[in-house]
């Protein structure tokens, strides 16, 4: 203890840590009946940390080529001690992270936290979710199995529909005109270098904005938040968040151990796509929607129309902080509240219906 | 703002800013252009394949199909329920999956989004917007040859 005190003293003397201590000591989190929503961002971050740790471990054995990728993952899960666990945790945690990010996004949405002055927090969060989905999409291909091979075939082909830049984008993503070993090597680079770097930068911004502005309290809960004593961030809120992280860890451990992630069969570019091709669950609502569209609609390719609609929907969602002008008496616009529920119902509905085999 | 007669048409500051700005812009372009080009791989000279031995007739029963390699892309050889042999590109015109022959449907099917093509390769249901590219089939004894662009 004495040694620690001394160290602190030495650092404080040189770096003047007082303002930081002051800031941390006074940091509080409002308390009201929807305070539970404040834990999801942190939970998402927890899964992100798990991803970084297990990802680095997988890097010790994984080899990013069409010839060796599948075998190297097979080696990890069959021969490397606890390799099956590390891979399983990485795959499950990726899914839980996205689930948690969605929960986080919808909870801040319904609390209206996106409104001025928190537009930048919303936008950086939106980009973070995009990056998380990019992680999922690029990571899906890395084991080079049949399912992921065709999912990547389909997913990358969609960018070719982008007006003007489509052909260029397709080549950029695939590293050629087909999905080949070149695509795998590229996706590996995105997955372990490009996306982590962008995520680190955006997350730093996301967190910095929150520190600057403090937690948002919806206008309908302001009165309650004023009446009740806020939670001190250190140590009370941190300890509570710790409990949430432990719950996340418990769920993760149970899923990873009892439902080890499948590897499937090695991709063969000269075999037919097998029945049951589908993307990860968080792309299912789009996947099923596109499947329902006819080849041509109003003289336009159905696919193009569907992708255009998703792009437009994404743009509206992104622009919500400027589109929602709020209500005169304070609070967010009614229409946007309804929009949130519609979007949520659509995503959840289609995802479950897909699992239930409604779309065949 | 000063009166016009006090300032030359272009002040020294404006000129310098303009010079600095264009140099910076040029430097940026000079640095980014190679990057932009680098990310697209060079075209690898590929001997164009126009004719391949796709399979053996004796191994292709009626109402069945098989994928074969046509250059760098997969193609499909089918034998209709009435015994005719046909060949098409196996690349689905929807989003690039590899199609297969479905004996139970007696036509070509794409597993990715349930796209269907008839025995002529024509898209008949599901999302595919165009027919499959058809190839010419020659049979020499037991050998089935497929030719493109004929
Ligand atoms: C990788 C994903 C993400 C991480 C790690 C993350 C992390 C966090 C953390 C730790 C907080 C503070 C505590 C909390 O409110 O839960 C927060 C707040 C916030 N996040 Fe995120 N986030 C992510 C994605 C998103 C997404 C997808 C959105 C929405 C598009 C978003 C929008 C917001 C907003 C508006 C706040 C402020 C909430 C308030 O002031 O009450 N974030 N985020
Ligand atoms: S890729 Fe064949 S139906 Fe979609």
């Amino acid at each position: 203890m004495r040694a620690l005190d001394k160290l602190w003293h030495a650092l404080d003397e040189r770096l003047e840590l007082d303002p930081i201590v002051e800031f941390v000591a006074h940091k509080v989190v409002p308390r009201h009946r929807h305070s539970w929503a404040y834990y999801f961002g942190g939970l998402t971050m927890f899964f992100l940390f798990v991803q970084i740790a297990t990802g680095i471990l997988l890097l010790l054995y994984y080899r990013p080529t069409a010839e060796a990728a599948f075998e190297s993952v097979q080696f990890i899960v069959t021969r490397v001690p606890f390799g099956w666990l590390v891979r399983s945790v990485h795959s499950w945690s990726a899914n839980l992270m996205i689930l948690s990010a969605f929960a986080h996004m919808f909870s801040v949405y319904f609390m209206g936290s996106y409104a001025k002055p928190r537009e930048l927090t919303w936008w950086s969060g939106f980009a973070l979710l995009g990056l998380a989905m990019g992680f999922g999409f690029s990571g899906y291909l890395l084991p080079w199995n049949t399912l992921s091979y065709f999912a990547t075939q389909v997913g990358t082909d969609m960018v070719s529909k982008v007006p003007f830049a489509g052909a260029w984008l397709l080549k950029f993503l695939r590293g050629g005109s087909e999905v080949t070993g070149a695509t795998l090597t590229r996706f590996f680079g995105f997955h372990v270098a490009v996306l982590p770097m962008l995520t680190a930068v955006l997350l730093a911004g996301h967190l910095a904005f929150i520190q600057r502005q403090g937690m948002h309290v919806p206008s309908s809960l302001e009165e309650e938040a004023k009446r009740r004593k806020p939670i001190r961030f250190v140590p009370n809120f941190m300890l509570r968040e710790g409990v949430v992280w432990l719950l996340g860890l418990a769920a993760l451990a149970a899923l990873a151990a009892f439902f080890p992630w499948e590897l499937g069969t090695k991709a063969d570019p000269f075999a037919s796509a097998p029945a049951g091709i589908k993307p990860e669950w968080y792309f299912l609502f789009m996947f099923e929607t596109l499947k329902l569209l006819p080849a041509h609609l109003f003289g336009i390719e159905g696919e193009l129309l569907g992708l255009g609609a998703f792009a437009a929907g994404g743009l509206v969602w992104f622009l919500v902080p400027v589109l929602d002008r709020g209500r005169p008496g304070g609070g967010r616009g009614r229409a946007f509240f309804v929009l949130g529920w519609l979007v949520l119902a659509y995503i959840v509905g289609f995802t479950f219906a897909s699992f239930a085999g409604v779309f065949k | 703002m000063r009166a016009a007669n006090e300032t030359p048409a272009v002040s020294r500051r404006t000129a310098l800013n303009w010079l600095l700005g264009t140099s910076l812009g040029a430097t940026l372009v000079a640095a980014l252009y190679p990057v932009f080009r680098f990310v697209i791989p060079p075209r690898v000279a590929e001997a164009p394949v126009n004719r391949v031995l796709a399979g053996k007739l004796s191994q292709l029963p009626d109402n069945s199909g098989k994928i074969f390699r046509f250059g760098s892309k997969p193609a499909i050889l089918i034998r209709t329920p009435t015994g005719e042999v046909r060949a098409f590109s196996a690349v689905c015109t929807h989003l690039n999956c590899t199609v297969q022959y479905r004996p139970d449907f007696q036509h070509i099917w794409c597993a990715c989004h349930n796209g269907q093509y008839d025995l002529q390769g024509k898209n008949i249901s599901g999302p595919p917007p165009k027919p499959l590219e058809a190839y010419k089939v020659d049979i020499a004894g037991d050998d089935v040859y497929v030719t493109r662009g004929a």
Side-chain angles (χ1 to χ4, degrees), chain A residues 121-353:
Chain A
T121 318
W122 176 258
W123 289 329
S124 57
F126 185 95
L128 280 168
L129 184 64
L131 289 174
M133 291 169 95
F135 266 117
F137 185 65
S138 57
Y140 199 48
L141 180 67
L142 298 185
W144 199 245
N145 56 24
T146 308
L147 210 63
S148 66
Y149 175 80
F150 285 108
T152 306
Q153 192 79 263
V154 167
T156 50
D157 201 58
M158 287 182 186
V159 306
S160 71
K161 314 267 171 183
V162 173
F164 310 115
W168 190 89
L169 279 173
L170 184 74
K171 281 220 172 123
F172 168 67
L173 277 182
R174 288 187 179 169
S177 43
E178 254 76 50
V179 174
T180 60
T183 319
L184 176 64
T185 306
R186 228 157 244 239
F187 272 37
F188 176 71
F190 296 148
H191 193 81
V192 307
V194 180
L195 295 173
M197 194 179 65
L198 294 176
T199 303
V201 173
L202 277 165
L203 184 58
H206 198 67
L207 295 178
F209 302 147
I210 295 155
Q211 296 322 307
R212 269 313 262 187
Q213 300 174 325
M215 299 310 291
H216 166 75
V217 178
S219 58
S220 58
L221 297 173
E222 255 164 24
E223 194 265 326
E224 181 185 346
K226 243 179 235 140
R227 204 174 60 233
R228 297 174 63 180
K229 202 165 151 266
I231 309 169
R232 280 176 36 189
F233 189 81
V234 179
N236 306 45
F237 187 82
M238 255 170 67
L239 291 173
R240 288 172 180 227
E241 182 83 58
V243 174
V244 174
W245 287 24
L246 277 178
L247 290 176
L249 180 65
L252 180 57
L255 288 168
F258 292 120
F259 305 99
W261 206 260
E262 303 257 336
L263 180 53
T265 54
K266 183 170 175 172
D268 175 359
F270 291 95
S272 298
I277 286 294
K278 60 177 166 66
E280 296 259 61
W281 61 267
Y282 41 87
F283 293 120
L284 278 178
F285 71 98
M286 292 191 262
F287 170 78
E288 299 292 4
T289 309
L290 293 177
K291 227 162 79 175
L292 288 180
L293 293 172
H296 295 277
L297 208 67
F298 317 121
I300 305 177
E301 233 177 79
E303 193 68 32
L304 199 60
L305 215 62
L307 291 173
F310 280 122
L315 188 64
V316 168
W317 195 248
F318 180 78
L319 289 180
V320 152
V322 284
L323 295 178
D324 180 2
R325 316 297 288 272
R327 267 181 286 170
R332 309 319 314 149
R334 269 258 154 251
F336 286 89
F337 189 71
V338 175
L339 175 75
W341 279 108
L342 288 179
V343 171
L344 185 62
Y346 164 59
I347 293 180
V348 173
F350 265 60
T351 307
F352 275 96

Side-chain angles (χ1 to χ4, degrees), chain A residues 37-42 44-45 97 101 104-105 108 113-114 118 121-122 125-126 128-129 203 206-207 210 214-216:
Chain A
Y38 296 134
Y39 295 93
F40 283 120
T44 311
M45 206 159 66
M97 169 169 143
H104 174 53
M105 178 175 76
V108 296
S113 312
Y114 52 77
R118 294 185 175 77
T121 318
W122 176 258
F126 185 95
L128 280 168
L129 184 64
L203 184 58
H206 198 67
L207 295 178
I210 295 155
M215 299 310 291
H216 166 75

Side-chain angles (χ1 to χ4, degrees), chain A residues 150 153-154 157-158 168 171-172 174-176 178 186 270-275 277 287 291 295-296 301 303 360, chain B residues 36 39-41 43 67 69 71-74 94-100 109 111-114 126-129:
Chain A
F150 285 108
Q153 192 79 263
V154 167
D157 201 58
M158 287 182 186
W168 190 89
K171 281 220 172 123
F172 168 67
R174 288 187 179 169
E178 254 76 50
R186 228 157 244 239
F270 291 95
S272 298
I277 286 294
F287 170 78
K291 227 162 79 175
H296 295 277
E301 233 177 79
E303 193 68 32
K360 283 306 276 176
Chain B
F36 201 68
V39 299
I40 301 295
R43 212 182 294 279
I67 298 288
R69 200 183 170 122
S72 61
K73 300 199 175 173
H94 179 222
L95 292 173
N96 249 316
C97 273
T98 308
V99 298
Q100 61 184 285
W109 178 65
C112 289
H113 311 93
N114 202 19

